[in-house]
Amino acid sequence: QVQLSESGGGLVQAGGSLRLSCASSGRTFIGYAMGWFRQAPGKEREIVAAIMWGASNTYYADSVKGRFTISKDTAKNTAYLQMNSLKPEDSAVYYCAAQIATRGVYDYWGQGTQVTVSS
């Protein structure tokens, strides 16, 4: 069984930065990809960024391109989301998720971490 745990959320002013971490535990993480999602109140959950676990391919939502960077440390089974130039509309609960059993399916999820950007 794999457990994902996010950390690094908090309150920041617009233009500021935060770095989220997603640590995998329970067993050696062997999977296809890790992704970061977010969900704001009253809105649907959306994917923010993703990274292939065995390659360097990345994906970013248009809304965060040039501001957010996803990275990984496979030795630590940890993924990161560096968020710069934050905007109030980035405020949401951020979740990490992993594609482990099936490529293309995020089958493991973290509990989420709140990010609030004040104007």
Side-chain angles (χ1 to χ4, degrees), residues 22 29 31-37 47-60 69-74 78-81 97-99 106:
C22 176
F29 181 76
Y32 298 101
M34 183 83 83
W36 286 97
F37 294 74
I47 187 167
V48 174
I51 188 166
M52 298 300 294
W53 207 247
S56 58
N57 307 65
T58 58
Y59 163 85
Y60 295 96
T69 302
I70 189 170
S71 61
K72 62 186 179 183
D73 185 331
T74 54
T78 299
Y80 306 94
L81 185 67
Q99 297 177 18
Y106 287 97

Side-chain angles (χ1 to χ4, degrees), residues 17-83:
S17 298
L18 284 173
R19 188 192 195 205
L20 305 183
S21 298
C22 176
S24 170
S25 62
R27 65 174 175 88
T28 301
F29 181 76
I30 302 174
Y32 298 101
M34 183 83 83
W36 286 97
F37 294 74
R38 68 186 181 187
Q39 186 167 21
K43 295 187 177 182
E44 293 188 354
R45 185 173 58 196
E46 61 175 349
I47 187 167
V48 174
I51 188 166
M52 298 300 294
W53 207 247
S56 58
N57 307 65
T58 58
Y59 163 85
Y60 295 96
D62 288 342
S63 59
V64 306
K65 281 181 181 177
R67 300 188 298 121
F68 290 11
T69 302
I70 189 170
S71 61
K72 62 186 179 183
D73 185 331
T74 54
K76 295 182 178 180
N77 289 334
T78 299
Y80 306 94
L81 185 67
Q82 178 68 43
M83 305 186 294

Side-chain angles (χ1 to χ4, degrees), residues 73-97:
D73 185 331
T74 54
K76 295 182 178 180
N77 289 334
T78 299
Y80 306 94
L81 185 67
Q82 178 68 43
M83 305 186 294
N84 298 329
S85 302
L86 282 162
K87 305 175 182 180
E89 51 263 43
D90 293 319
S91 297
V93 177
Y94 283 70
Y95 300 89
C96 68

